[in-house]
Amino acid sequence: WGGTMSIEVYVKYDSFNSYSKVFDFGNGAGSDNVHLYNSETTSTITWNVRQGSTYKGIWTSNFDSFTWTHIIVTVSDTTMKVFKNGVLVKTKTDGYEPNALTRSYHIIGARNWDSMSGYMDGTI
């Protein structure tokens, strides 16, 4: 799969581990990943799409601690968007769509690679 897409989640973080993923779909470490996560150990919402090992992404707003947050991320052509609780919080017009291919890994609550990333501490 690839191309134009939207992904919708409800997420509740209890704490912010390092780069803890809500989801990470890809072919391993930095290989055609599509992922949503918190940046470093902050609550910053991060929405990234990788074509091969290069990526484009959005860093915006915050996940809420101990509260259900409704997130929708979209990409169409070069436009990437993040919606939080029904409100558009960020648009990037020089992004890109995921490559159309079969991804080997579809991980919820963790990352496709390395020990830098913590597991998601919360509920999806």
Side-chain angles (χ1 to χ4, degrees):
W1 57 269
T4 297
M5 61 183 293
S6 297
I7 300 174
E8 176 179 14
V9 297
Y10 281 90
V11 61
K12 181 176 69 162
Y13 274 88
D14 294 334
S15 67
F16 298 101
N17 292 322
S18 181
Y19 300 99
S20 53
K21 297 292 198 278
V22 175
F23 59 81
D24 188 349
F25 308 137
N27 288 320
S31 181
D32 287 298
N33 303 80
V34 176
H35 41 202
L36 177 68
Y37 57 97
N38 66 290
S39 182
E40 299 179 359
T41 56
T42 72
S43 61
T44 301
I45 297 169
T46 308
W47 162 228
N48 280 331
V49 173
R50 287 184 180 265
Q51 288 185 339
S53 62
T54 62
Y55 69 91
K56 300 273 181 129
I58 292 177
W59 293 262
T60 186
S61 188
N62 297 302
F63 289 108
D64 298 323
S65 304
F66 304 107
T67 303
W68 284 105
T69 307
H70 181 224
I71 302 291
I72 300 173
V73 291
T74 69
V75 60
S76 179
D77 195 29
T78 61
T79 302
M80 300 173 72
K81 296 180 181 182
V82 175
F83 296 83
K84 177 182 172 186
N85 295 324
V87 176
L88 177 64
V89 292
K90 187 83 175 240
T91 300
K92 180 180 187 71
T93 58
D94 65 343
Y96 44 55
E97 295 177 347
N99 289 325
L101 53 83
T102 300
R103 286 169 177 77
S104 300
Y105 303 101
H106 302 91
I107 300 173
I108 306 294
R111 188 175 183 181
N112 262 310
W113 72 90
D114 77 37
S115 60
M116 253 182 59
S117 302
Y119 286 98
M120 195 267 186
D121 180 22
T123 309
I124 302 168

